[in-house]
Structure formats: C-alpha cells, structure tokens
Amino acid sequence: MGMKGKIALGVVVGVVVIGAVSANAGGDGDKENDGKGTSASAGQKPGGTTDGKNGTTKQAEKKAAFSGDGDFEVGKDVKPGTYRTTGNTDDLCYWERAKDASGEADSLIANDNVSGTSYVTVKATDKLFKSSGCKDWEAVDEKATGTAKTSRFKGDGGMYRVGVDIAPGTYRSTGNTDDLCYWERAKDALHSIESIRANNNVTGSAVVTISASDAYFKTTGCQEWKKTG
C-alpha cells in the first residue's frame, strides 16, 4: 500500500494498538491535539437532507480550499486547520504532514493512503502538506454541527465524523475475509498513534461501539456497517 514508494505510517493495518483505549480514551494530554480533533465540513448546518441509502446527513456542496495534487507550505499556501477530501478510490490518494521539505523519512509527522473520505488537521507547526492523487481538499468548520441518523454506512468509506456523518452506537460488519477489514476509533484528525482510541483488523464479523466522545471512525476494507444498538 502506498503511493510512489511511500508507506502510510498512519494506517495501522495488520497491527492492533494494544492498550490504546485505556491510554488515550478521553485524554487531553496529546501534545499534538490542539484542535480537539472535532471537525465537520465547512458550512455544515443542522437539518441537512438524509441519504436514504446509508443514513448519513448530506450537506451543501463545499468550495475547495486547495488542490488534491501538490506540495503546500503551511501558513503560506495552506492555513492551519482541518480539511476533508472525499470521493477517492482504491487508496490512490496519498497525503503527508511534514516538519520540513527535505523529503526524508524523518520529516514525516503523519501520512495516509485514502479510499473514500479523509479528514486531516494541519497544525501551525507543520511546515509542508503534500497531497497526491486526491480529490480537492475543502476547509472544515470545527464548530459546525449536524444531525446524523445513521442506521448503516459503507465499510470502505474512509473516515466519518462522529455525530455529523454517522451517529454514535453499536455497529456490526459481517462477511469480512483475510483480516482486510480495519476499523479505528479516533479522538482527532492528526493521525498520530496517540490519536487512536481503539482499532482492529477483522476476519468474519466485527462489532464495535462508537462513542459520542469519539471524534472520528475510520473503516477500510470492511463490509457494510449496520447499527444494532
């Protein structure tokens, strides 16, 4: 998995974070987490139309903040904040937060290969944001809210904002094979190890309770999630 020989360090596929729940759940000691990790699409307002297929709340079309291809200097080309890209396929979208423009492995802060949707928080201390093969990025209004009445959502949809894109609750995904289903509960969109509250690779049936205090839920390679409680 990767683009141009790069590996998405933020994807923990094949590795379960042991103790992530007790170490990180509800904590605010993450030095990276200055945005509280709660972000919704720019201009979102309560009462959007509901997608009858997956139950998520549709919002008005957003204006792109910057292109899905290129290197962007933080503070000059890209303002610090949270951004979203959606509609990506086959993990061909690659993004990277970097502390300098050296291109060396040590410059990486976080990165990911995306299928579906991704939310990313770019910090003021980041120097460079790289994006390759992604759909345009839109700015996110971190104070915006929405009404999610989700009963089901795609198992390969990428990242969902809890409380806006999907509702908290217990969900089940069945028929997964070969540990290709990966899910993650996250407290922010910084994509650090400390961002992860819990995660797992699943064969067969997966059951997970998404808390109202979670900021995001990430799902890749899974069958459809259906709400059970």
Side-chain angles (χ1 to χ4, degrees), residues 4-224:
K4 301 179 180 178
K6 298 190 178 183
I7 298 173
L9 302 179
V11 179
V12 200
V13 175
V15 179
V16 177
V17 177
I18 300 174
V21 177
S22 60
N24 297 318
D28 56 5
D30 180 13
K31 293 180 180 179
E32 284 253 295
N33 186 12
D34 60 351
K36 305 300 181 186
T38 54
S39 54
S41 300
Q44 281 187 327
K45 296 179 181 179
T49 59
T50 300
D51 186 332
K53 184 176 181 180
N54 59 26
T56 56
T57 302
K58 287 184 177 180
Q59 303 296 338
E61 185 176 352
K62 314 304 184 304
K63 183 178 180 180
F66 57 94
S67 170
D69 285 293
D71 294 349
F72 305 94
E73 291 187 75
V74 178
K76 183 179 295 185
D77 303 317
V78 175
K79 295 179 180 179
T82 300
Y83 297 90
R84 184 180 81 159
T85 180
T86 190
N88 302 288
T89 58
D90 300 325
D91 286 336
L92 296 179
C93 165
Y94 172 83
W95 64 260
E96 178 181 313
R97 293 171 53 216
K99 61 183 179 182
D100 57 48
S102 68
E104 298 177 0
D106 288 346
S107 71
L108 280 177
I109 298 173
N111 65 350
D112 201 1
N113 293 102
V114 178
S115 183
T117 296
S118 184
Y119 288 86
V120 182
T121 297
V122 178
K123 294 186 64 179
T125 51
D126 296 351
K127 298 301 181 183
L128 202 66
F129 183 80
K130 299 183 178 183
S131 179
S132 176
C134 302
K135 300 294 185 181
D136 289 347
W137 292 87
E138 64 188 29
V140 161
D141 181 356
E142 296 181 350
K143 296 180 180 179
T145 59
T147 303
K149 297 181 180 179
T150 322
S151 61
R152 59 182 63 190
F153 57 90
K154 293 180 180 179
D156 201 29
M159 288 180 72
Y160 296 93
R161 169 78 188 279
V162 178
V164 175
D165 300 326
I166 61 174
T170 299
Y171 294 84
R172 178 189 295 269
S173 173
T174 60
N176 300 293
T177 59
D178 301 326
D179 280 342
L180 295 179
C181 169
Y182 172 79
W183 64 258
E184 177 184 310
R185 295 170 50 220
K187 64 179 182 179
D188 57 43
L190 291 167
H191 296 266
S192 65
I193 292 297
E194 291 78 13
S195 299
I196 301 173
R197 287 184 165 179
N199 66 350
N200 204 1
N201 292 99
V202 180
T203 295
S205 296
V207 178
V208 59
T209 297
I210 302 171
S211 170
S213 63
D214 294 341
Y216 298 93
F217 182 74
K218 183 176 182 179
T219 173
T220 62
C222 302
Q223 299 299 313
E224 184 181 53

